[in-house]
mmCIF file of all heavy atoms in Angstrom:
data_model
loop_
_atom_site.group_PDB
_atom_site.id
_atom_site.type_symbol
_atom_site.label_atom_id
_atom_site.label_comp_id
_atom_site.label_asym_id
_atom_site.label_seq_id
_atom_site.Cartn_x
_atom_site.Cartn_y
_atom_site.Cartn_z
ATOM 1 N N GLU O 19 -20.739 28.249 -21.426
ATOM 2 C CA GLU O 19 -20.217 29.605 -21.681
ATOM 3 C C GLU O 19 -20.580 30.560 -20.542
ATOM 4 O O GLU O 19 -19.723 31.278 -20.022
ATOM 5 C CB GLU O 19 -20.763 30.119 -23.013
ATOM 6 C CG GLU O 19 -20.226 31.472 -23.433
ATOM 7 C CD GLU O 19 -18.763 31.427 -23.849
ATOM 8 O OE1 GLU O 19 -18.341 30.421 -24.438
ATOM 9 O OE2 GLU O 19 -18.042 32.412 -23.572
ATOM 10 N N GLU O 20 -21.840 30.575 -20.165
ATOM 11 C CA GLU O 20 -22.315 31.464 -19.095
ATOM 12 C C GLU O 20 -21.646 31.115 -17.759
ATOM 13 O O GLU O 20 -21.242 32.001 -17.004
ATOM 14 C CB GLU O 20 -23.832 31.323 -18.981
ATOM 15 C CG GLU O 20 -24.464 32.169 -17.900
ATOM 16 C CD GLU O 20 -25.966 31.943 -17.879
ATOM 17 O OE1 GLU O 20 -26.396 30.855 -17.430
ATOM 18 O OE2 GLU O 20 -26.688 32.844 -18.328
ATOM 19 N N SER O 21 -21.493 29.836 -17.487
ATOM 20 C CA SER O 21 -20.885 29.410 -16.222
ATOM 21 C C SER O 21 -19.396 29.726 -16.169
ATOM 22 O O SER O 21 -18.883 30.152 -15.130
ATOM 23 C CB SER O 21 -21.120 27.914 -16.016
ATOM 24 O OG SER O 21 -22.500 27.652 -15.913
ATOM 25 N N VAL O 22 -18.694 29.539 -17.282
ATOM 26 C CA VAL O 22 -17.272 29.902 -17.339
ATOM 27 C C VAL O 22 -17.111 31.398 -17.085
ATOM 28 O O VAL O 22 -16.244 31.814 -16.311
ATOM 29 C CB VAL O 22 -16.642 29.498 -18.689
ATOM 30 C CG1 VAL O 22 -15.282 30.163 -18.881
ATOM 31 C CG2 VAL O 22 -16.509 27.998 -18.785
ATOM 32 N N GLU O 23 -17.935 32.192 -17.716
ATOM 33 C CA GLU O 23 -17.884 33.654 -17.524
ATOM 34 C C GLU O 23 -18.102 34.005 -16.049
ATOM 35 O O GLU O 23 -17.375 34.804 -15.473
ATOM 36 C CB GLU O 23 -18.936 34.338 -18.408
ATOM 37 C CG GLU O 23 -18.988 35.838 -18.273
ATOM 38 C CD GLU O 23 -17.734 36.540 -18.768
ATOM 39 O OE1 GLU O 23 -17.013 35.965 -19.619
ATOM 40 O OE2 GLU O 23 -17.469 37.667 -18.302
ATOM 41 N N TYR O 24 -19.093 33.398 -15.440
ATOM 42 C CA TYR O 24 -19.400 33.670 -14.037
ATOM 43 C C TYR O 24 -18.218 33.316 -13.128
ATOM 44 O O TYR O 24 -17.741 34.148 -12.362
ATOM 45 C CB TYR O 24 -20.637 32.882 -13.602
ATOM 46 C CG TYR O 24 -20.888 32.936 -12.115
ATOM 47 C CD1 TYR O 24 -21.490 34.055 -11.538
ATOM 48 C CD2 TYR O 24 -20.501 31.890 -11.280
ATOM 49 C CE1 TYR O 24 -21.701 34.123 -10.172
ATOM 50 C CE2 TYR O 24 -20.714 31.952 -9.915
ATOM 51 C CZ TYR O 24 -21.312 33.062 -9.365
ATOM 52 O OH TYR O 24 -21.511 33.129 -8.007
ATOM 53 N N TYR O 25 -17.743 32.075 -13.199
ATOM 54 C CA TYR O 25 -16.685 31.633 -12.293
ATOM 55 C C TYR O 25 -15.355 32.344 -12.557
ATOM 56 O O TYR O 25 -14.662 32.737 -11.623
ATOM 57 C CB TYR O 25 -16.492 30.112 -12.374
ATOM 58 C CG TYR O 25 -17.568 29.365 -11.629
ATOM 59 C CD1 TYR O 25 -18.646 28.811 -12.303
ATOM 60 C CD2 TYR O 25 -17.515 29.223 -10.252
ATOM 61 C CE1 TYR O 25 -19.642 28.132 -11.615
ATOM 62 C CE2 TYR O 25 -18.503 28.551 -9.558
ATOM 63 C CZ TYR O 25 -19.566 28.013 -10.249
ATOM 64 O OH TYR O 25 -20.556 27.352 -9.560
ATOM 65 N N SER O 26 -14.994 32.513 -13.818
ATOM 66 C CA SER O 26 -13.699 33.129 -14.111
ATOM 67 C C SER O 26 -13.680 34.608 -13.747
ATOM 68 O O SER O 26 -12.652 35.133 -13.328
ATOM 69 C CB SER O 26 -13.312 32.921 -15.573
ATOM 70 O OG SER O 26 -14.224 33.559 -16.432
ATOM 71 N N THR O 27 -14.812 35.273 -13.885
ATOM 72 C CA THR O 27 -14.887 36.693 -13.532
ATOM 73 C C THR O 27 -14.991 36.888 -12.027
ATOM 74 O O THR O 27 -14.247 37.663 -11.433
ATOM 75 C CB THR O 27 -16.095 37.362 -14.227
ATOM 76 O OG1 THR O 27 -15.954 37.199 -15.633
ATOM 77 C CG2 THR O 27 -16.184 38.838 -13.887
ATOM 78 N N LYS O 28 -15.910 36.183 -11.407
ATOM 79 C CA LYS O 28 -16.153 36.363 -9.971
ATOM 80 C C LYS O 28 -15.008 35.858 -9.102
ATOM 81 O O LYS O 28 -14.681 36.448 -8.093
ATOM 82 C CB LYS O 28 -17.448 35.670 -9.572
ATOM 83 C CG LYS O 28 -17.820 35.869 -8.116
ATOM 84 C CD LYS O 28 -19.237 35.448 -7.858
ATOM 85 C CE LYS O 28 -19.623 35.642 -6.413
ATOM 86 N NZ LYS O 28 -19.935 37.019 -6.070
ATOM 87 N N PHE O 29 -14.362 34.761 -9.513
ATOM 88 C CA PHE O 29 -13.358 34.129 -8.657
ATOM 89 C C PHE O 29 -11.942 34.146 -9.225
ATOM 90 O O PHE O 29 -11.038 33.542 -8.656
ATOM 91 C CB PHE O 29 -13.777 32.691 -8.350
ATOM 92 C CG PHE O 29 -15.086 32.627 -7.611
ATOM 93 C CD1 PHE O 29 -16.224 32.177 -8.264
ATOM 94 C CD2 PHE O 29 -15.190 33.044 -6.299
ATOM 95 C CE1 PHE O 29 -17.443 32.128 -7.598
ATOM 96 C CE2 PHE O 29 -16.393 33.002 -5.627
ATOM 97 C CZ PHE O 29 -17.528 32.536 -6.283
ATOM 98 N N ASN O 30 -11.745 34.796 -10.362
ATOM 99 C CA ASN O 30 -10.415 34.976 -10.929
ATOM 100 C C ASN O 30 -9.653 33.653 -11.060
ATOM 101 O O ASN O 30 -8.526 33.511 -10.602
ATOM 102 C CB ASN O 30 -9.603 35.983 -10.097
ATOM 103 C CG ASN O 30 -8.348 36.420 -10.818
ATOM 104 O OD1 ASN O 30 -8.324 36.487 -12.039
ATOM 105 N ND2 ASN O 30 -7.301 36.697 -10.066
ATOM 106 N N CYS O 31 -10.290 32.683 -11.691
ATOM 107 C CA CYS O 31 -9.628 31.408 -11.937
ATOM 108 C C CYS O 31 -9.218 31.326 -13.406
ATOM 109 O O CYS O 31 -9.702 32.068 -14.246
ATOM 110 C CB CYS O 31 -10.543 30.239 -11.571
ATOM 111 S SG CYS O 31 -12.119 30.274 -12.424
ATOM 112 N N GLU O 32 -8.304 30.407 -13.691
ATOM 113 C CA GLU O 32 -7.806 30.230 -15.048
ATOM 114 C C GLU O 32 -8.681 29.228 -15.802
ATOM 115 O O GLU O 32 -9.039 28.173 -15.273
ATOM 116 C CB GLU O 32 -6.377 29.684 -14.978
ATOM 117 C CG GLU O 32 -5.768 29.325 -16.308
ATOM 118 C CD GLU O 32 -4.446 28.594 -16.151
ATOM 119 O OE1 GLU O 32 -3.804 28.724 -15.085
ATOM 120 O OE2 GLU O 32 -4.064 27.881 -17.093
ATOM 121 N N VAL O 33 -9.017 29.537 -17.040
ATOM 122 C CA VAL O 33 -9.765 28.613 -17.882
ATOM 123 C C VAL O 33 -8.753 27.717 -18.593
ATOM 124 O O VAL O 33 -8.035 28.165 -19.480
ATOM 125 C CB VAL O 33 -10.655 29.370 -18.902
ATOM 126 C CG1 VAL O 33 -11.420 28.386 -19.778
ATOM 127 C CG2 VAL O 33 -11.595 30.339 -18.195
ATOM 128 N N LYS O 34 -8.676 26.445 -18.186
ATOM 129 C CA LYS O 34 -7.734 25.499 -18.787
ATOM 130 C C LYS O 34 -8.270 24.925 -20.090
ATOM 131 O O LYS O 34 -7.516 24.630 -21.001
ATOM 132 C CB LYS O 34 -7.449 24.351 -17.811
ATOM 133 C CG LYS O 34 -6.669 24.765 -16.585
ATOM 134 C CD LYS O 34 -6.529 23.640 -15.594
ATOM 135 C CE LYS O 34 -5.655 22.522 -16.112
ATOM 136 N NZ LYS O 34 -5.368 21.505 -15.072
ATOM 137 N N HIS O 35 -9.578 24.729 -20.156
ATOM 138 C CA HIS O 35 -10.212 24.183 -21.356
ATOM 139 C C HIS O 35 -11.672 24.607 -21.366
ATOM 140 O O HIS O 35 -12.298 24.726 -20.321
ATOM 141 C CB HIS O 35 -10.142 22.652 -21.361
ATOM 142 C CG HIS O 35 -10.900 22.053 -22.501
ATOM 143 N ND1 HIS O 35 -10.349 21.934 -23.749
ATOM 144 C CD2 HIS O 35 -12.163 21.603 -22.593
ATOM 145 C CE1 HIS O 35 -11.258 21.404 -24.559
ATOM 146 N NE2 HIS O 35 -12.366 21.186 -23.874
ATOM 147 N N LYS O 36 -12.203 24.811 -22.561
ATOM 148 C CA LYS O 36 -13.628 25.117 -22.688
ATOM 149 C C LYS O 36 -14.088 24.702 -24.072
ATOM 150 O O LYS O 36 -13.449 25.016 -25.073
ATOM 151 C CB LYS O 36 -13.881 26.610 -22.486
ATOM 152 C CG LYS O 36 -15.347 27.006 -22.619
ATOM 153 C CD LYS O 36 -15.537 28.494 -22.452
ATOM 154 C CE LYS O 36 -14.973 29.157 -23.677
ATOM 155 N NZ LYS O 36 -15.449 30.445 -24.004
ATOM 156 N N ASP O 37 -15.195 23.959 -24.114
ATOM 157 C CA ASP O 37 -15.891 23.704 -25.370
ATOM 158 C C ASP O 37 -17.388 23.690 -25.057
ATOM 159 O O ASP O 37 -17.796 24.121 -23.979
ATOM 160 C CB ASP O 37 -15.381 22.435 -26.068
ATOM 161 C CG ASP O 37 -15.687 21.138 -25.341
ATOM 162 O OD1 ASP O 37 -16.636 21.090 -24.528
ATOM 163 O OD2 ASP O 37 -14.989 20.155 -25.589
ATOM 164 N N ALA O 38 -18.189 23.183 -25.942
ATOM 165 C CA ALA O 38 -19.644 23.246 -25.762
ATOM 166 C C ALA O 38 -20.172 22.325 -24.667
ATOM 167 O O ALA O 38 -21.261 22.543 -24.140
ATOM 168 C CB ALA O 38 -20.334 22.930 -27.087
ATOM 169 N N THR O 39 -19.404 21.281 -24.307
ATOM 170 C CA THR O 39 -19.922 20.294 -23.357
ATOM 171 C C THR O 39 -19.227 20.269 -22.003
ATOM 172 O O THR O 39 -19.745 19.684 -21.065
ATOM 173 C CB THR O 39 -19.845 18.871 -23.953
ATOM 174 O OG1 THR O 39 -18.472 18.547 -24.199
ATOM 175 C CG2 THR O 39 -20.651 18.775 -25.234
ATOM 176 N N TRP O 40 -18.050 20.887 -21.900
ATOM 177 C CA TRP O 40 -17.393 20.943 -20.594
ATOM 178 C C TRP O 40 -16.297 21.999 -20.573
ATOM 179 O O TRP O 40 -15.809 22.420 -21.613
ATOM 180 C CB TRP O 40 -16.845 19.582 -20.169
ATOM 181 C CG TRP O 40 -15.629 19.093 -20.901
ATOM 182 C CD1 TRP O 40 -15.598 18.530 -22.135
ATOM 183 C CD2 TRP O 40 -14.269 19.131 -20.459
ATOM 184 N NE1 TRP O 40 -14.311 18.200 -22.479
ATOM 185 C CE2 TRP O 40 -13.478 18.552 -21.464
ATOM 186 C CE3 TRP O 40 -13.643 19.596 -19.294
ATOM 187 C CZ2 TRP O 40 -12.100 18.423 -21.350
ATOM 188 C CZ3 TRP O 40 -12.280 19.458 -19.189
ATOM 189 C CH2 TRP O 40 -11.517 18.868 -20.197
ATOM 190 N N ALA O 41 -15.936 22.374 -19.357
ATOM 191 C CA ALA O 41 -14.835 23.319 -19.158
ATOM 192 C C ALA O 41 -14.080 22.886 -17.900
ATOM 193 O O ALA O 41 -14.656 22.285 -16.997
ATOM 194 C CB ALA O 41 -15.357 24.734 -18.997
ATOM 195 N N MET O 42 -12.785 23.203 -17.874
ATOM 196 C CA MET O 42 -11.970 22.925 -16.695
ATOM 197 C C MET O 42 -11.380 24.252 -16.234
ATOM 198 O O MET O 42 -10.706 24.934 -17.008
ATOM 199 C CB MET O 42 -10.851 21.930 -17.011
ATOM 200 C CG MET O 42 -10.018 21.532 -15.812
ATOM 201 S SD MET O 42 -10.917 20.563 -14.583
ATOM 202 C CE MET O 42 -10.956 18.957 -15.375
ATOM 203 N N LEU O 43 -11.663 24.596 -14.995
ATOM 204 C CA LEU O 43 -11.184 25.841 -14.409
ATOM 205 C C LEU O 43 -10.155 25.524 -13.338
ATOM 206 O O LEU O 43 -10.366 24.633 -12.508
ATOM 207 C CB LEU O 43 -12.348 26.619 -13.790
ATOM 208 C CG LEU O 43 -13.543 26.871 -14.709
ATOM 209 C CD1 LEU O 43 -14.663 27.570 -13.942
ATOM 210 C CD2 LEU O 43 -13.143 27.664 -15.931
ATOM 211 N N LYS O 44 -9.053 26.255 -13.344
ATOM 212 C CA LYS O 44 -7.978 26.030 -12.374
ATOM 213 C C LYS O 44 -8.033 27.102 -11.293
ATOM 214 O O LYS O 44 -7.917 28.287 -11.575
ATOM 215 C CB LYS O 44 -6.621 26.063 -13.067
ATOM 216 C CG LYS O 44 -5.447 25.841 -12.130
ATOM 217 C CD LYS O 44 -4.141 25.800 -12.908
ATOM 218 C CE LYS O 44 -2.937 25.689 -12.038
ATOM 219 N NZ LYS O 44 -2.957 24.705 -10.994
ATOM 220 N N PHE O 45 -8.234 26.651 -10.085
ATOM 221 C CA PHE O 45 -8.151 27.514 -8.912
ATOM 222 C C PHE O 45 -6.790 27.269 -8.265
ATOM 223 O O PHE O 45 -6.058 26.375 -8.679
ATOM 224 C CB PHE O 45 -9.278 27.177 -7.925
ATOM 225 C CG PHE O 45 -10.636 27.645 -8.376
ATOM 226 C CD1 PHE O 45 -11.340 26.944 -9.347
ATOM 227 C CD2 PHE O 45 -11.206 28.786 -7.852
ATOM 228 C CE1 PHE O 45 -12.588 27.364 -9.768
ATOM 229 C CE2 PHE O 45 -12.453 29.223 -8.265
ATOM 230 C CZ PHE O 45 -13.153 28.510 -9.227
ATOM 231 N N ASP O 46 -6.451 28.021 -7.264
ATOM 232 C CA ASP O 46 -5.150 27.874 -6.618
ATOM 233 C C ASP O 46 -4.957 26.479 -6.024
ATOM 234 O O ASP O 46 -3.877 25.916 -6.101
ATOM 235 C CB ASP O 46 -4.992 28.945 -5.529
ATOM 236 C CG ASP O 46 -3.623 28.925 -4.895
ATOM 237 O OD1 ASP O 46 -2.626 28.873 -5.650
ATOM 238 O OD2 ASP O 46 -3.547 28.960 -3.652
ATOM 239 N N ASN O 47 -6.019 25.912 -5.457
ATOM 240 C CA ASN O 47 -5.874 24.648 -4.735
ATOM 241 C C ASN O 47 -6.573 23.448 -5.374
ATOM 242 O O ASN O 47 -6.393 22.329 -4.913
ATOM 243 C CB ASN O 47 -6.388 24.808 -3.306
ATOM 244 C CG ASN O 47 -7.847 25.212 -3.271
ATOM 245 O OD1 ASN O 47 -8.369 25.798 -4.214
ATOM 246 N ND2 ASN O 47 -8.514 24.913 -2.180
ATOM 247 N N ILE O 48 -7.362 23.656 -6.426
ATOM 248 C CA ILE O 48 -8.108 22.547 -7.025
ATOM 249 C C ILE O 48 -8.658 22.980 -8.381
ATOM 250 O O ILE O 48 -8.748 24.189 -8.664
ATOM 251 C CB ILE O 48 -9.249 22.086 -6.096
ATOM 252 C CG1 ILE O 48 -9.735 20.680 -6.477
ATOM 253 C CG2 ILE O 48 -10.391 23.088 -6.064
ATOM 254 C CD1 ILE O 48 -10.570 20.011 -5.405
ATOM 255 N N ASN O 49 -9.021 22.027 -9.199
ATOM 256 C CA ASN O 49 -9.688 22.308 -10.469
ATOM 257 C C ASN O 49 -11.193 22.108 -10.297
ATOM 258 O O ASN O 49 -11.620 21.272 -9.494
ATOM 259 C CB ASN O 49 -9.194 21.364 -11.563
ATOM 260 C CG ASN O 49 -7.739 21.574 -11.890
ATOM 261 O OD1 ASN O 49 -7.277 22.706 -12.036
ATOM 262 N ND2 ASN O 49 -7.002 20.494 -11.984
ATOM 263 N N LEU O 50 -11.961 22.849 -11.071
ATOM 264 C CA LEU O 50 -13.411 22.716 -11.092
ATOM 265 C C LEU O 50 -13.828 22.431 -12.523
ATOM 266 O O LEU O 50 -13.528 23.213 -13.430
ATOM 267 C CB LEU O 50 -14.088 23.998 -10.597
ATOM 268 C CG LEU O 50 -15.618 24.017 -10.663
ATOM 269 C CD1 LEU O 50 -16.210 22.977 -9.711
ATOM 270 C CD2 LEU O 50 -16.138 25.405 -10.334
ATOM 271 N N ALA O 51 -14.493 21.294 -12.726
ATOM 272 C CA ALA O 51 -15.007 20.956 -14.045
ATOM 273 C C ALA O 51 -16.472 21.372 -14.111
ATOM 274 O O ALA O 51 -17.245 21.102 -13.186
ATOM 275 C CB ALA O 51 -14.872 19.462 -14.296
ATOM 276 N N LEU O 52 -16.820 22.025 -15.192
ATOM 277 C CA LEU O 52 -18.209 22.373 -15.474
ATOM 278 C C LEU O 52 -18.645 21.444 -16.595
ATOM 279 O O LEU O 52 -18.019 21.422 -17.662
ATOM 280 C CB LEU O 52 -18.317 23.834 -15.908
ATOM 281 C CG LEU O 52 -17.694 24.864 -14.960
ATOM 282 C CD1 LEU O 52 -17.759 26.258 -15.581
ATOM 283 C CD2 LEU O 52 -18.374 24.836 -13.605
ATOM 284 N N VAL O 53 -19.681 20.653 -16.357
ATOM 285 C CA VAL O 53 -20.106 19.640 -17.324
ATOM 286 C C VAL O 53 -21.596 19.770 -17.616
ATOM 287 O O VAL O 53 -22.351 20.280 -16.797
ATOM 288 C CB VAL O 53 -19.792 18.216 -16.809
ATOM 289 C CG1 VAL O 53 -18.302 18.023 -16.619
ATOM 290 C CG2 VAL O 53 -20.524 17.912 -15.517
ATOM 291 N N THR O 54 -21.982 19.298 -18.795
ATOM 292 C CA THR O 54 -23.407 19.237 -19.104
ATOM 293 C C THR O 54 -23.932 17.882 -18.638
ATOM 294 O O THR O 54 -23.190 16.901 -18.560
ATOM 295 C CB THR O 54 -23.659 19.422 -20.610
ATOM 296 O OG1 THR O 54 -22.921 18.447 -21.336
ATOM 297 C CG2 THR O 54 -23.249 20.820 -21.062
ATOM 298 N N LYS O 55 -25.213 17.821 -18.316
ATOM 299 C CA LYS O 55 -25.763 16.613 -17.698
ATOM 300 C C LYS O 55 -25.689 15.383 -18.589
ATOM 301 O O LYS O 55 -25.668 14.262 -18.084
ATOM 302 C CB LYS O 55 -27.193 16.856 -17.218
ATOM 303 C CG LYS O 55 -28.184 17.114 -18.301
ATOM 304 C CD LYS O 55 -29.555 17.374 -17.706
ATOM 305 C CE LYS O 55 -30.537 17.747 -18.807
ATOM 306 N NZ LYS O 55 -31.831 18.017 -18.266
#
Side-chain angles (χ1 to χ4, degrees):
E19 184 71 35
E20 179 180 73
S21 297
V22 166
E23 179 66 24
Y24 171 79
Y25 283 99
S26 63
T27 302
K28 183 167 180 78
F29 299 108
N30 193 32
C31 56
E32 175 189 338
V33 180
K34 292 174 68 172
H35 174 83
K36 179 182 71 157
D37 67 23
T39 62
W40 72 281
M42 184 67 77
L43 307 176
K44 180 176 176 47
F45 287 77
D46 185 47
N47 60 335
I48 198 164
N49 295 315
L50 176 65
L52 306 175
V53 298
T54 56
K55 66 181 175 181

